[in-house]
Amino acid sequence: MTDLQDTAAHAVRDDERRALRRDLRRRRRQLSAQEQYQAARRLCHRLRHLPEVQRARRVALYLPNDGEIDPTRLMPWLNGRGARVYLPVLRPLSHNALWFVHYHAGTPMVTNRFGIPEPCTRHGAHRARRTPAWALDLILMPLVGFDDDGQRIGMGGGFYDRTLAFTRGSGPRPRLIGLAHDCQRVERLPVAPWDVPLDAIVSDRRVVRP
């Protein structure tokens, strides 16, 4: 394949992924409040029975946005088991990377540039309040779509892929579980070389292990 053909092929794949993201985001946004509530309840029930979740003591999850399935019902259960909960924060002075900051009821929150609540950057800048990604036991991350082979597609910003690129090497690493509504499941996904592989994907209907 020539350089020109390779560039054209990449452009086609990028267009496919953008179109697929639009469709899958539309699907989850169309869910009613009751459907969202029931999906979150079923999701957290499944998560509580996974060995990776039961063993974890340092767990990162996210606050839902744009119709994402809601994992926050898991927080009281995690806290009751003595686990510490962390939230992603857009890392300052860095291109599309994340911090993971300890979250509790008193954590000062702000709204980031994407309109998503997150712990205040000044609060999270203290090293005692955040944990490097490699030191977490488990990261529960949002997905835009997934397939039965355990492939996934994210929002396209690359925040998690950049932050978790180290998991491709040796050394300590967290378990990575992607979360989605089952309506975000597709037959087959176009895979990008920078996509960080997950250990499992959990929806309100199923658990998929690559």
Side-chain angles (χ1 to χ4, degrees):
M1 183 179 288
T2 66
D3 289 345
L4 185 59
Q5 289 171 323
D6 188 51
T7 300
H10 277 297
V12 169
R13 287 195 293 270
D14 288 345
D15 287 343
E16 289 176 350
R17 288 166 71 93
R18 279 194 292 269
L20 186 58
R21 281 191 187 96
R22 286 195 298 269
D23 178 59
L24 293 173
R25 292 173 67 188
R26 177 184 56 80
R27 290 187 198 180
R28 71 188 188 192
R29 284 197 299 260
Q30 287 178 339
L31 295 171
S32 68
Q34 180 64 17
E35 288 171 324
Q36 283 275 2
Y37 172 82
Q38 293 295 342
R41 186 178 60 82
R42 290 191 296 266
L43 171 81
C44 291
H45 176 76
R46 291 182 184 280
L47 288 172
R48 287 196 298 269
H49 287 82
L50 294 184
E52 300 98 321
V53 179
Q54 293 175 349
R55 290 193 300 262
R57 290 295 174 266
R58 289 165 296 193
V59 180
L61 47 77
Y62 61 91
L63 302 182
N65 179 61
D66 191 39
E68 292 168 342
I69 198 163
D70 185 356
T72 60
R73 292 173 62 91
L74 200 64
M75 285 185 185
W77 182 82
L78 289 168
N79 290 330
R81 295 172 63 87
R84 288 169 65 91
V85 173
Y86 294 80
L87 291 179
V89 173
L90 301 183
R91 184 175 175 177
L93 305 178
S94 177
H95 179 62
N96 292 16
L98 300 171
W99 277 343
F100 292 98
V101 176
H102 180 221
Y103 174 77
H104 53 83
T107 301
M109 302 291 287
V110 297
T111 300
N112 66 27
R113 67 178 185 269
F114 298 110
I116 303 171
E118 67 177 22
C120 173
T121 303
R122 182 175 296 179
H123 172 84
H126 292 271
R127 290 187 179 274
R129 296 178 181 141
R130 54 187 167 94
T131 292
W134 63 263
L136 293 167
D137 298 316
L138 174 67
I139 297 178
L140 303 174
M141 51 195 284
L143 304 180
V144 172
F146 69 100
D147 64 21
D148 287 340
D149 292 328
Q151 304 294 345
R152 53 95 181 182
I153 186 170
M155 284 294 291
F159 289 91
Y160 282 96
D161 288 312
R162 287 184 178 85
T163 304
L164 302 175
F166 72 92
T167 61
R168 295 181 180 276
S170 58
R173 61 175 293 265
R175 304 291 282 183
L176 306 177
I177 297 180
L179 308 181
H181 291 285
D182 207 63
C183 66
Q184 296 169 245
R185 173 174 165 260
V186 298
E187 184 175 345
R188 190 169 183 83
L189 278 174
V191 181
W194 55 82
D195 289 339
V196 170
L198 304 183
D199 297 292
I201 294 171
V202 182
S203 78
D204 49 305
R205 298 289 183 185
R206 70 194 75 225
V207 177
V208 177
R209 294 191 181 274

